[in-house]
Amino acid sequence: MGLIHIELFATLDLVGQSPGGPDEDPVGFAFGGWQAPLLDEVAGAQVGAAYEGTDALLLGRRTYDIFAAYWPYQEGGEDNEIATLFNSVPKYVASRGRPDLSWAGSTQLGPDLVGAVREIRDRHEHVKVVGSLNLVQTLLREKLFDRLDLWVHPIVLGVGKKVFDGGAVPTNVTLLEPPVANPKGTVYLRYGLADGTPGTGDMSAPDRGAGRDD
């Protein structure tokens, strides 16, 4: 069985809507492109390293349309490495509509999204989910992911679609490596799905040291 890795860019209040540009998801959202002023070489290297070993992309309709309009034309340019990867691997699109699948290697998933994702997971080694917040809600709810790479940027927007926007279920994750802060204040966090559900406790219990003076 392969691995499903989710790559997300978020603000401090975990808004993940339209990080890359004002036209990504503009309805009711005035901050499209909020990530651009915060990019630096460190973040770029982290993102590039995160795609190593990717052998399939799993995308929501909106993210797919943005990628399909951009990446086929970037080989040989500044982003040649990622462009070559994206253009060569299979692309799976979660959509209820009729997306234009002219980007080579693209396939639309059927109505049983959860079943289709499980089949993709069995077919590939490293499936990458980028953006695609609506799709991510399903993956979180079904615990259909193995790793979550989250870049938390030092801004608060107060509005917009959030990374955890009501689609998640109680889930444990584990930090796979120490957090890294970029020069512009973005913190890179890499989590893996862990067993069980979040526990609870009593902070005043004796083993917590409450009321002790030694």
Side-chain angles (χ1 to χ4, degrees):
M1 183 175 68
L3 304 174
I4 295 178
H5 297 168
I6 299 174
E7 309 292 319
L8 288 173
F9 307 102
T11 65
L12 190 59
D13 52 339
L14 293 184
V15 172
Q17 185 172 354
S18 302
D23 299 326
E24 286 186 6
D25 188 7
V27 178
F29 187 68
F31 296 100
W34 54 263
Q35 183 189 19
L38 298 169
L39 287 175
D40 55 40
E41 291 184 0
V42 175
Q46 289 170 344
V47 173
Y51 287 118
E52 292 179 2
T54 297
D55 62 352
L57 293 175
L58 174 58
L59 306 170
R61 167 68 181 273
R62 191 178 298 275
T63 300
Y64 172 81
D65 287 344
I66 293 169
F67 279 21
Y70 180 79
W71 289 112
Y73 313 102
Q74 303 307 311
E75 290 193 30
E78 182 178 350
D79 296 320
N80 176 70
E81 187 173 352
I82 291 181
T84 300
L85 172 65
F86 283 6
N87 292 330
S88 63
V89 302
K91 275 76 67 175
Y92 298 98
V93 189
S95 174
R96 296 185 181 91
R98 296 183 177 180
D100 177 1
L101 299 176
S102 57
W103 191 10
S106 298
T107 303
Q108 182 175 359
L109 301 181
D112 180 9
L113 178 60
V114 172
V117 172
R118 289 196 173 110
E119 290 181 4
I120 292 169
R121 195 186 210 174
D122 290 337
R123 197 179 307 149
H124 297 280
E125 294 296 325
H126 296 280
V127 181
K128 194 71 68 176
V129 182
V130 188
S132 307
L133 287 180
N134 292 335
L135 169 62
V136 165
Q137 301 311 310
T138 299
L139 301 180
L140 294 175
R141 183 174 62 250
E142 299 292 335
K143 295 189 179 181
L144 263 177
F145 72 98
D146 300 281
R147 195 179 81 199
L148 172 62
D149 287 353
L150 185 64
W151 283 264
V152 180
H153 297 71
I155 54 172
V156 174
L157 297 182
V159 296
K161 296 178 182 178
K162 293 195 174 184
V163 172
F164 304 101
D165 199 16
V169 296
T171 303
N172 286 329
V173 295
T174 183
L175 191 65
L176 297 178
E177 57 189 51
V180 178
N182 300 337
K184 292 189 177 181
T186 298
V187 179
Y188 174 43
L189 300 163
R190 173 171 284 185
Y191 292 106
L193 181 64
D195 294 332
T197 56
T200 61
D202 185 351
M203 295 296 291
S204 63
D207 60 354
R208 297 289 184 183
R212 298 166 65 180
D213 58 2
D214 54 358

